[in-house]
Amino acid sequence: FCWWQNILFWLRRLPYQLIREPGQTINVFKGFLLGKKTPETARNSLVAGLFLLIAFLRFWKIPQFFNFTLAEEMQAFMSWEQVKHLHKVWIGVSAAYVKYYYGPGFVYLNALLFRITKDPVILGYFCFLLSMITILSVYYITKNLFDKKTAIFAMAIYGCSTLINFHDRRFWTPSPVPIITVWMIYSLIKAYKDTRW
């Protein structure tokens, strides 16, 4: 049986257990839960624990470590104008004043987040969500291309990197680049093997 079936059996046994041996209830629960411990379940618990550690590192002190520099301020200013006076924007932020402009999609995403709450820290929490999706993507893609052990190492290296953690707290136009890059490389590798990709 899998672990959730074991928990159901434990619940079925629980009334008898509480009447006959109430002191052993916890031990019986552990036996049902861990009775089928295999290398696969140990590896899954390692992945879950690592994911929780990475989530803690990414979520820890978001308001204090949230970067809001001139690049983010300009983006936020354009987005805040969309919240106050909704009008169509067909051009985004200028990139280094070389007459190259980003698309307006990021402005609209920023405006949507500002509409939810007027506090700019919402951008940091959105970056947290985006980085966690990126980490899950790194794990999934690496597992599909190589194996589970390599995927765990890739997730640990990417998720626990201080530099990547620092940059993942910035809500600026390159924020979606890691997740787009990972999926683009995966698609190219798959397209090389199968033309339907």
Side-chain angles (χ1 to χ4, degrees):
F1 301 110
C2 64
W3 63 270
W4 63 268
Q5 289 171 326
N6 281 343
I7 291 174
L8 287 176
F9 289 139
W10 178 76
L11 288 173
R12 192 179 76 189
R13 182 188 164 94
L14 185 60
Y16 171 82
Q17 190 65 38
L18 290 175
I19 292 169
R20 292 294 208 180
E21 301 170 319
Q24 293 297 320
T25 305
I26 299 292
N27 292 334
V28 172
F29 175 71
K30 286 180 184 175
F32 275 115
L33 190 61
L34 303 175
K36 191 184 172 187
K37 195 163 187 176
T38 62
E40 186 66 28
T41 58
R43 200 170 284 145
N44 288 342
S45 60
L46 174 68
V47 170
L50 182 61
F51 184 76
L52 290 174
L53 172 69
I54 292 169
F56 171 75
L57 292 174
R58 300 285 171 128
F59 196 78
W60 185 60
K61 291 191 175 184
I62 285 179
Q64 290 87 350
F65 294 144
F66 175 57
N67 287 315
F68 200 77
T69 60
L70 184 62
E72 291 87 0
E73 183 183 356
M74 187 173 177
Q75 184 80 39
F77 178 74
M78 291 182 68
S79 303
W80 186 243
E81 285 300 314
Q82 290 295 314
V83 173
K84 291 193 307 189
H85 314 288
L86 182 62
H87 61 282
K88 289 182 179 141
V89 174
W90 297 107
I91 196 164
V93 180
S94 170
Y97 303 104
V98 292
K99 297 196 184 212
Y100 172 79
Y101 292 88
Y102 296 115
F106 208 72
V107 174
Y108 288 122
L109 174 63
N110 201 339
L112 176 71
L113 293 171
F114 277 156
R115 196 171 283 283
I116 294 170
T117 177
K118 293 164 180 52
D119 188 2
V121 177
I122 186 81
L123 306 176
Y125 290 112
F126 181 79
C127 287
F128 162 76
L129 181 67
L130 190 63
S131 73
M132 295 312 292
I133 292 170
T134 304
I135 288 165
L136 286 175
S137 297
V138 166
Y139 175 77
Y140 174 80
I141 289 170
T142 310
K143 187 176 89 167
N144 281 340
L145 292 178
F146 302 103
D147 61 350
K148 202 164 192 174
K149 188 185 281 189
T150 309
I152 292 170
F153 280 113
M155 185 171 86
I157 289 169
Y158 184 86
C160 296
S161 168
T162 306
L163 183 66
I164 294 174
N165 190 352
F166 176 75
H167 284 295
D168 276 350
R169 292 172 185 260
R170 293 186 73 177
F171 186 81
W172 55 333
T173 40
S175 291
V177 167
I179 192 167
I180 291 170
T181 304
V182 164
W183 281 102
M184 192 177 292
I185 291 171
Y186 181 65
S187 298
L188 288 172
I189 291 170
K190 286 295 204 179
Y192 183 72
K193 295 177 180 176
D194 184 1
T195 55
R196 287 179 291 178
W197 276 82

